[in-house]
Amino acid sequence: MADSMIGKSEKYWSVVHGFMAMAAVLDPRFKMKLIEYYFDLLYGDGAQKEIENVRSFCYDMLKDYQARCKSKENSQVPVQASVASSSRAMVAYSKLGKRLANFNAFVDQIGGTTHVKS
């Protein structure tokens, strides 16, 4: 039973972690620094390979986006924001700030900068 659950978890993680990592990369506060920090903790010696996988994934997604934009040059879809989702985002953001203390220390140690909105 446990082996089955571990297998399903690993399959899910292998699909999802690229998108989650890309979201972190696109966040101007973190970029690749958050990936470098957490992947080192998660993957140890294999971290550099996983970081390069994320970097490649981001470039592949960018190329796909550019190709789609070229094929739909004049069509634009309006973006609508919901007040409820932005409220949830603010709560999540405040919780996230508490969890990033070690990450901020990591960035300070390597000489990078993070931009935290007050």
Side-chain angles (χ1 to χ4, degrees):
M1 175 83 168
D3 290 336
S4 173
M5 291 174 65
I6 289 172
K8 288 179 182 180
S9 176
E10 287 176 356
K11 181 180 177 185
Y12 172 78
W13 179 250
S14 69
V15 172
V16 171
H17 91 283
F19 290 104
M20 292 172 41
M22 186 172 182
V25 169
L26 292 175
D27 189 323
R29 297 169 297 161
F30 307 132
K31 302 188 182 194
M32 285 298 290
K33 298 288 185 230
L34 189 70
I35 301 304
E36 292 166 3
Y37 174 74
Y38 279 110
F39 276 27
D40 189 47
L41 295 175
L42 289 170
Y43 297 108
D45 293 336
Q48 197 57 40
K49 179 181 176 262
E50 293 296 328
I51 291 167
E52 289 306 315
N53 288 342
V54 168
R55 191 180 314 274
S56 295
F57 180 75
C58 289
Y59 282 120
D60 291 344
M61 294 297 288
L62 176 63
K63 289 176 188 175
D64 182 58
Y65 174 77
Q66 289 171 334
R68 288 174 189 247
C69 284
K70 285 182 181 179
S71 68
K72 298 178 183 180
E73 287 178 10
N74 294 324
S75 69
Q76 295 180 358
V77 178
V79 177
Q80 298 176 351
S82 108
V83 173
S85 66
S86 59
S87 297
R88 285 190 301 269
M90 290 305 292
V91 169
Y93 178 76
S94 67
K95 289 180 182 178
L96 180 64
K98 295 173 187 172
R99 295 182 191 147
L100 291 175
N102 290 337
F103 169 69
N104 289 332
F106 165 75
V107 171
D108 290 342
Q109 179 184 4
I110 63 171
T113 59
T114 58
H115 304 284
V116 178
K117 209 174 186 179
S118 58

